[in-house]
Amino acid sequence: MNTQLLRVLVSLTSGAVFGFGLSLSGMLNPVRVRGFLDITGNWDPSLAFVLGGAVGVTAMAWRLAGRFIGQHSILASTCRKTDQSTVV
Amino acid sequence: MHDDLQGGIVVSVYWSALVGGMLIGVSASMLLLMNGRIAGISGILARLVQGAEISTNAAFVVGLLSGPLLFLLVFGQWPSITIISSLPVIAVGGFLVGFGTRMGSGCTSGHGVFGLARLSQRSIVAVATFVSCAIIAVFLMRTFRS
């Protein structure tokens, strides 16, 4: 398989995992998101768990990326993380 | 928390939130380590609309939209979604979110997940700003609606 096809498959899988995770987290539901922001009402802390889980895992990947990969990712010669001007 | 969620159900809701969040982290990690890209939804969608890296960005969006369908296949029901706002309010809100995320260079995924994970000062400021403004907005909407 060529690199470009692999990159498309990685993007597709990454999107699907993101969408499934978002569905599982309950944050597809605007009422749940609003519940987190409604601190004077019936506060729902769920969003903090979602963000905590996501940031924790991503932070480990970020450190891995710095240690093992340096400026290059596996399937791309350029890595956006090194480009400070990049729009996230 | 919802009134109908009590005891053990509340705990399972928090577990779902944590595991769901960790899956979002796995997704962002995959994209970073394999493709060298940041899983910022607003950025990916914007680049797709602008016609940049169409194949990978479109693949990500297709995958993202298939997420709820995968949830249906696994759990036998759609993720619950409760819409309480009217269509015009949603349309205006959506426009403001889109405009603001472009102006602020990122949304909850780019700044919130990725930015916080790498302790980016810009992202920490962005998250603190949009969360506090959203809390104020929810408070004002509650106050003036009731």
Side-chain angles (χ1 to χ4, degrees):
Chain A
M1 271 197 284
N2 64 35
T3 308
Q4 179 60 18
L5 182 60
L6 275 174
R7 298 184 71 227
V8 168
L9 287 175
V10 167
S11 292
L12 184 70
T13 311
S14 172
V17 172
F18 198 113
F20 181 80
L22 196 61
S23 303
L24 182 64
S25 75
M27 294 305 133
L28 272 185
N29 196 344
V31 171
R32 298 286 302 282
V33 177
R34 209 189 66 146
F36 177 76
L37 300 166
D38 195 5
I39 53 172
T40 61
N42 211 358
W43 188 54
D44 178 355
S46 298
L47 182 54
F49 287 88
V50 181
L51 196 58
V55 170
V57 172
T58 310
M60 285 191 283
W62 177 255
R63 299 197 66 170
L64 263 179
R67 182 171 304 174
F68 296 119
I69 300 176
Q71 303 226 325
H72 301 279
S73 60
I74 293 167
L75 298 173
S77 56
T78 59
C79 190
R80 279 201 187 270
K81 83 183 182 74
T82 57
D83 179 2
Q84 291 302 310
S85 68
T86 296
V87 172
V88 288
Chain B
M1 183 47 55
H2 301 289
D3 294 332
D4 57 330
L5 298 177
Q6 302 288 334
I9 302 173
V10 170
V11 174
S12 79
V13 162
Y14 293 157
W15 274 113
S16 300
L18 185 65
V19 175
M22 289 171 77
L23 284 174
I24 291 173
V26 168
S27 158
S29 304
M30 278 178 66
L31 212 59
L32 171 72
L33 296 173
M34 304 290 285
N35 284 6
R37 291 292 179 271
I38 289 166
I41 308 302
S42 59
I44 286 175
L45 200 56
R47 282 194 291 277
L48 178 62
V49 171
Q50 288 163 357
E53 299 178 22
I54 292 175
S55 53
T56 47
N57 287 332
F60 184 88
V61 172
V62 169
L64 186 65
L65 294 175
S66 77
L69 195 64
L70 292 174
F71 185 90
L72 173 68
L73 291 175
V74 173
F75 295 106
Q77 57 181 32
W78 290 103
S80 72
I81 294 178
T82 318
I83 305 290
I84 54 169
S85 303
S86 64
L87 201 58
V89 169
I90 293 172
V92 172
F95 175 79
L96 290 175
V97 168
F99 191 83
T101 49
R102 288 290 77 206
M103 198 176 181
S105 305
C107 57
T108 36
S109 50
H111 278 315
V113 175
F114 216 96
L116 294 187
R118 67 186 183 102
L119 297 175
S120 151
Q121 284 187 340
R122 183 175 77 156
S123 294
I124 292 169
V125 170
V127 173
T129 306
F130 64 62
V131 170
S132 53
C133 287
I135 287 173
I136 293 169
V138 167
F139 181 75
L140 291 178
M141 290 290 277
R142 245 158 76 86
T143 307
F144 289 108
R145 268 190 174 173
S146 52

